[in-house]
Amino acid sequence: MEFISTSIRFLLYRRNLLSKQIINKIQRISTESESLEIKKTLFPLLDTNYPSQDLCFNVRNDIINKHSVSEHVVDMKILEIFIQENKFESAQVYFRHLKSNNYPLNHFILIKYLKLLSAKETSISKLEEEEILHIYDIIKKKYEYIPPSILLICVSALCLTSKWEIVYDIIKYNGDENIDIKILVYVAATAFERGKANVGFEFINKIQSDCQDMHKRKIIYDKYLNYYLKNEENNLNYALEKMFHFWKKHDIVPIKSIIDNFVDTCKESKWEAHHVQITHDGQCSHCNNYLSRMAVENDVNKLLKFVLSEIMIGNDIFQTTTPNEFIKFKQFIDKGKPFDIVIDGLNMAYIIHDKLFMQNILLQFVNEHKKILIITRKHKYNSIKWMVNLDNIFIYLLKDITEDDPYILYATLASGNNAKFMSLDLLRQHYNKLKDVNMQKEFMRWQLTHRYSWNCVNRMNILVNPISYNPYAQVKNGHWHIPYTEANKLLYKPTDTWVCLYRSRN
């Protein structure tokens, strides 16, 4: 009976859900149909860039009367369609018609018009600048705290004016942490465009702390290059190297479209530019220079402290383990450390079915006199108990519900900087739990230089050693080596796409 009751409740839920979806679809179709009908009536205005006063008046009344649109919203709908159709001149004429005839211009209409002006691709006129500044003053008085979506429109419009630097006060007033990344992008790009390179770098520093989306930063780099290309008195070579040093400082790996733009600019400035391969030991296939060794700036104890507080305790791993289990594990590690290799046994058991491959790896580590710790769950013990007979191997069994990644991290870090771990997991979720940007960078550097993994090539598993070189932008003997990615994502493992850039000082 309970099963039948549950089934009925589920069917009723599904029916209600489908009903809502159907209603939403009908409403959407109805809205789109209404918009299409309004657009047909609006066509005489859309068909000309400079409609007459009479035409504006007549079309507005037709929309009100034919489509039962109230005077309160008619102008917003008209302006929205103008924006959708990219009819900026017609929209401006229409707005000024409203203004000159004293139609009520509520702040929503003003925001629509501001949005329209902010979308302009050409420079604005003196009159348009006055309109932007006037509308912003009205909006500022209307809101004690300007909502983010409206603030973005205001900033993008203000950045078109000669008074663009007032956006500094907006950002300071709202607080950096409450400012949308797109706003910082507008300001940084505008700063470079206006020749305020120091301000531009200040803002892309802010963006670097909050945003890993390279597509959002591409506009900044484009504006940066365009500014130095347009102004011959500026030192383009200095500007190129300054940006490369910025990428080096922040471990930035640009996407291909960004690096292509810089490569083209370098070539125009008589630099040598080559797409190259970097060997596993860090040698460039073109210039034969070796990349510098990776350095973890903070000691491992500091990184361990952050991992313990923010990944383990701070994010409550005790949802999938218990304080007592972790205390026992910590005591075991403190007593047995240092371990040379910490192996993700669960990861290994699920992914590797090649026992001979694992035997060879373990024998290699044993022959190198490594002290090995394998961490897995209790139910997986039978699949790895053969390892017990090997010298210098320790096995630690976690409860079957326990999340093992934090334990693997703790065991490796607690064993010191020479300890490595072996896993296919890229630890993305743990990286994101670290709140401090510098510690995120250190965690990533540590991971890249301390993680063993494996690849399957021609149906054979091959051990992949941790890298020894720095996988970020750097200069060696005058040659800049800069990594880039095809995809817009963080570098959780070293990229194999690089450029080698060289400028002769003659």
Side-chain angles (χ1 to χ4, degrees):
M1 190 68 185
E2 177 62 28
F3 172 77
I4 295 171
S5 177
T6 302
S7 299
I8 291 171
R9 285 199 301 271
F10 176 74
L11 289 171
L12 287 172
Y13 168 78
R14 288 287 298 165
R15 190 187 69 179
N16 291 337
L17 182 63
L18 287 170
S19 297
K20 286 180 181 178
Q21 290 173 342
I22 291 168
I23 290 169
N24 288 338
K25 188 171 184 180
I26 290 170
Q27 288 175 338
R28 188 171 66 252
I29 292 170
S30 175
T31 302
E32 290 171 355
S33 176
E34 178 191 9
S35 180
L36 187 61
E37 290 302 313
I38 292 174
K39 195 181 292 185
K40 287 179 182 176
T41 307
L42 193 61
F43 184 76
L45 281 180
L46 293 171
D47 195 37
T48 175
N49 287 336
Y50 301 100
S52 65
Q53 290 272 346
D54 288 343
L55 183 58
C56 290
F57 176 81
N58 293 333
V59 169
R60 184 178 188 273
N61 284 342
D62 284 346
I63 291 173
I64 292 171
N65 297 324
K66 288 181 182 178
H67 306 292
S68 301
V69 177
S70 70
E71 286 206 47
H72 183 67
V73 298
V74 63
D75 300 313
M76 283 179 57
K77 285 184 175 291
I78 291 173
L79 286 173
E80 186 60 44
I81 292 173
F82 276 134
I83 292 171
Q84 290 171 4
E85 298 297 313
N86 294 325
K87 299 296 290 186
F88 300 128
E89 293 86 354
S90 300
Q92 286 182 283
V93 171
Y94 181 77
F95 177 81
R96 286 164 189 159
H97 161 74
L98 297 177
K99 192 175 176 183
S100 62
N101 287 281
N102 295 318
Y103 284 103
L105 298 176
N106 62 48
H107 70 285
F108 292 113
I109 293 174
L110 296 177
I111 291 165
K112 285 286 182 197
Y113 184 63
L114 205 61
K115 182 179 178 181
L116 183 140
L117 289 176
S118 69
K120 283 199 69 171
E121 295 181 356
T122 57
S123 58
I124 60 171
S125 66
K126 186 69 177 173
L127 174 60
E128 289 166 339
E129 176 169 320
E130 290 172 359
E131 288 175 333
I132 290 171
L133 296 172
H134 177 66
I135 292 172
Y136 172 65
D137 281 340
I138 293 173
I139 292 171
K140 189 169 62 172
K141 291 172 184 173
K142 172 73 178 176
Y143 295 98
E144 182 178 349
Y145 174 78
I146 303 176
S149 58
I150 297 175
L151 188 62
L152 177 61
I153 295 170
C154 290
V155 168
S156 58
L158 288 168
C159 281
L160 298 174
T161 73
S162 61
K163 308 287 186 182
W164 67 277
E165 288 172 289
I166 64 176
V167 298
Y168 301 165
D169 295 330
I170 297 174
I171 292 171
K172 189 181 295 183
Y173 177 77
N174 285 273
D176 291 345
E177 67 280 3
N178 299 317
I179 295 295
D180 190 284
I181 291 297
K182 290 180 181 177
I183 290 176
L184 300 179
V185 169
Y186 272 114
V187 179
T190 303
F192 285 129
E193 192 173 32
R194 304 298 178 97
K196 299 273 187 175
N198 57 329
V199 175
F201 274 109
E202 179 186 335
F203 275 91
I204 57 174
N205 266 307
K206 296 179 190 293
I207 295 165
Q208 177 57 29
S209 299
D210 298 324
C211 173
Q212 298 297 336
D213 190 339
M214 270 293 163
H215 293 299
K216 288 180 180 175
R217 293 207 294 265
K218 184 179 184 303
I219 184 174
I220 300 171
Y221 297 126
D222 289 347
K223 295 277 188 184
Y224 179 79
L225 286 179
N226 289 340
Y227 169 72
Y228 283 96
L229 286 167
K230 283 191 300 186
N231 296 273
E232 293 182 3
E233 67 274 12
N234 291 314
N235 188 333
L236 180 60
N237 288 322
Y238 166 79
L240 289 167
E241 295 209 59
K242 184 173 181 180
M243 186 59 78
F244 297 158
H245 277 289
F246 179 79
W247 291 346
K248 174 178 179 287
K249 178 181 178 182
H250 294 286
D251 292 353
I252 293 173
V253 181
I255 55 174
K256 187 175 185 299
S257 57
I258 292 173
I259 206 68
D260 283 348
N261 202 359
F262 274 84
V263 166
D264 290 342
T265 304
C266 283
K267 286 180 177 178
E268 290 171 13
S269 300
K270 310 304 180 188
W271 288 52
E272 287 183 29
H274 304 272
H275 290 268
V276 297
Q277 296 292 319
I278 302 295
T279 63
H280 193 76
D281 58 352
Q283 188 177 29
C284 172
S285 61
H286 172 71
C287 68
N288 293 323
N289 281 297
Y290 282 88
L291 301 187
S292 60
R293 305 284 289 183
M294 174 72 95
V296 178
E297 292 174 6
N298 291 297
D299 60 49
V300 173
N301 288 331
K302 187 171 183 181
L303 188 55
L304 175 61
K305 195 178 295 182
F306 272 82
V307 166
L308 188 62
S309 64
E310 296 183 18
I311 291 178
M312 303 191 78
I313 308 303
N315 284 274
D316 194 13
I317 63 161
F318 300 133
Q319 292 178 10
T320 55
T321 184
T322 63
N324 190 47
E325 182 179 31
F326 177 63
I327 290 168
K328 285 183 178 179
F329 176 78
K330 188 174 182 298
Q331 288 171 345
F332 170 82
I333 297 299
D334 291 344
K335 184 178 179 180
K337 70 182 183 182
F339 296 96
D340 297 305
I341 308 287
V342 179
I343 296 178
D344 183 342
L346 185 66
N347 184 273
M348 178 181 68
Y350 277 130
I351 299 173
I352 293 282
H353 302 291
D354 185 348
K355 185 176 177 180
L356 180 61
F357 170 72
M358 285 311 306
Q359 283 178 331
N360 290 336
I361 288 176
L362 290 174
L363 285 173
Q364 175 189 323
F365 289 151
V366 168
N367 290 336
E368 292 170 357
H369 307 290
K370 303 292 187 186
K371 187 176 179 181
I372 303 162
L373 172 64
I374 298 170
I375 298 176
T376 190
R377 292 178 186 162
K378 290 180 178 178
H379 74 282
K380 285 294 176 182
Y381 176 69
N382 285 336
S383 66
I384 65 166
K385 64 182 180 181
W386 59 271
M387 300 176 185
V388 174
N389 297 322
L390 297 173
D391 292 335
N392 227 15
I393 288 185
F394 299 80
I395 295 175
Y396 194 94
L397 301 176
L398 298 170
K399 292 180 180 178
D400 289 342
I401 65 163
T402 300
E403 183 188 358
D404 58 350
D405 283 354
Y407 285 84
I408 292 163
L409 283 174
Y410 179 83
T412 312
L413 285 165
S415 294
N417 194 43
N418 292 325
K420 305 288 193 297
F421 70 102
M422 183 174 174
S423 175
L424 284 185
D425 291 342
L426 297 177
L427 307 177
R428 295 182 183 91
Q429 72 275 29
H430 304 299
Y431 168 91
N432 291 325
K433 288 176 185 175
L434 293 171
K435 302 179 185 69
D436 184 273
V437 174
N438 290 324
M439 291 315 299
Q440 283 184 335
K441 185 169 80 170
E442 293 305 304
F443 181 79
M444 186 69 74
R445 283 172 167 257
W446 175 83
Q447 177 184 329
L448 290 170
T449 51
H450 288 74
R451 184 176 72 96
Y452 284 96
S453 62
W454 55 86
N455 283 334
C456 186
V457 179
N458 296 326
R459 298 184 180 180
M460 289 186 62
N461 290 306
I462 298 174
L463 182 67
V464 178
N465 293 312
I467 61 168
S468 59
Y469 63 87
N470 181 353
Y472 300 105
Q474 56 193 274
V475 61
K476 193 75 171 286
N477 298 327
H479 291 80
W480 273 100
H481 295 93
I482 300 174
Y484 65 92
T485 61
E486 298 286 344
N488 181 34
K489 59 184 180 182
L490 277 173
L491 187 70
Y492 289 102
K493 55 184 178 180
T495 180
D496 56 2
T497 47
W498 289 74
V499 291
C500 175
L501 304 168
Y502 178 74
R503 177 170 72 93
S504 173
R505 305 292 168 173
N506 295 332

